[in-house]
Amino acid sequence: MYASIYSVYLADWLKVIPRDQVHVIKFEDHIQNEVESINSVFDFLEVPRFSESYLKHYLENHLVRNSLKPEFKIPHILPETRELLEKFFKPFLEDLVKLLGDDKWYWDMY
């Protein structure tokens, strides 16, 4: 679980790299719109974008296939487990929101 405490890692990076030189992408946003996500990186780096058609074609031909087989997927999370995870991660999520200055980094628990 420690690997999921992003605020700890980000705080370390921000000790040596100015905030305006760090671009963070929320995974959920990336998978919802990969083209927009990739273009946000190009814009941040101030490099030319590829055309939307090229990016879509590239992404379709380079799919990541790392999903679990249906028989290994967990259909849901127990309410007790969710509550424990929310309590554990809450202070770290609050730190992340403060570091990034945006409430979008909270889970749907807020």
Side-chain angles (χ1 to χ4, degrees), residues 77-87:
I77 186 169
L78 295 172
E80 299 85 7
T81 304
R82 181 176 179 88
E83 184 179 342
L84 284 171
L85 289 171
E86 287 176 354
K87 284 180 183 177

Side-chain angles (χ1 to χ4, degrees), residues 5-35:
I5 304 173
Y6 307 121
S7 62
V8 174
Y9 302 111
L10 185 60
D12 284 344
W13 280 107
L14 293 177
K15 289 177 185 173
V16 294
I17 301 172
R19 173 65 183 99
D20 65 340
Q21 292 182 18
V22 176
H23 184 68
V24 181
I25 299 171
K26 192 173 182 181
F27 178 71
E28 292 85 354
D29 294 344
H30 176 71
I31 60 173
Q32 283 182 357
N33 191 335
E34 291 176 310
V35 171

Side-chain angles (χ1 to χ4, degrees), residues 22-95:
V22 176
H23 184 68
V24 181
I25 299 171
K26 192 173 182 181
F27 178 71
E28 292 85 354
D29 294 344
H30 176 71
I31 60 173
Q32 283 182 357
N33 191 335
E34 291 176 310
V35 171
E36 184 177 310
S37 174
I38 293 168
N39 278 331
S40 77
V41 174
F42 292 154
D43 294 345
F44 177 76
L45 296 173
E46 299 179 351
V47 297
R49 293 178 172 197
F50 288 105
S51 70
E52 188 170 329
S53 61
Y54 174 83
L55 278 177
K56 285 181 178 180
H57 176 75
Y58 180 86
L59 291 167
E60 287 171 5
N61 288 302
H62 294 85
L63 292 174
V64 176
R65 293 173 178 82
N66 81 11
S67 60
L68 293 173
K69 294 179 181 177
E71 63 268 21
F72 295 115
K73 289 189 177 184
I74 300 171
H76 67 281
I77 186 169
L78 295 172
E80 299 85 7
T81 304
R82 181 176 179 88
E83 184 179 342
L84 284 171
L85 289 171
E86 287 176 354
K87 284 180 183 177
F88 176 81
F89 281 108
K90 183 178 181 179
F92 302 108
L93 286 172
E94 289 171 349
D95 289 345

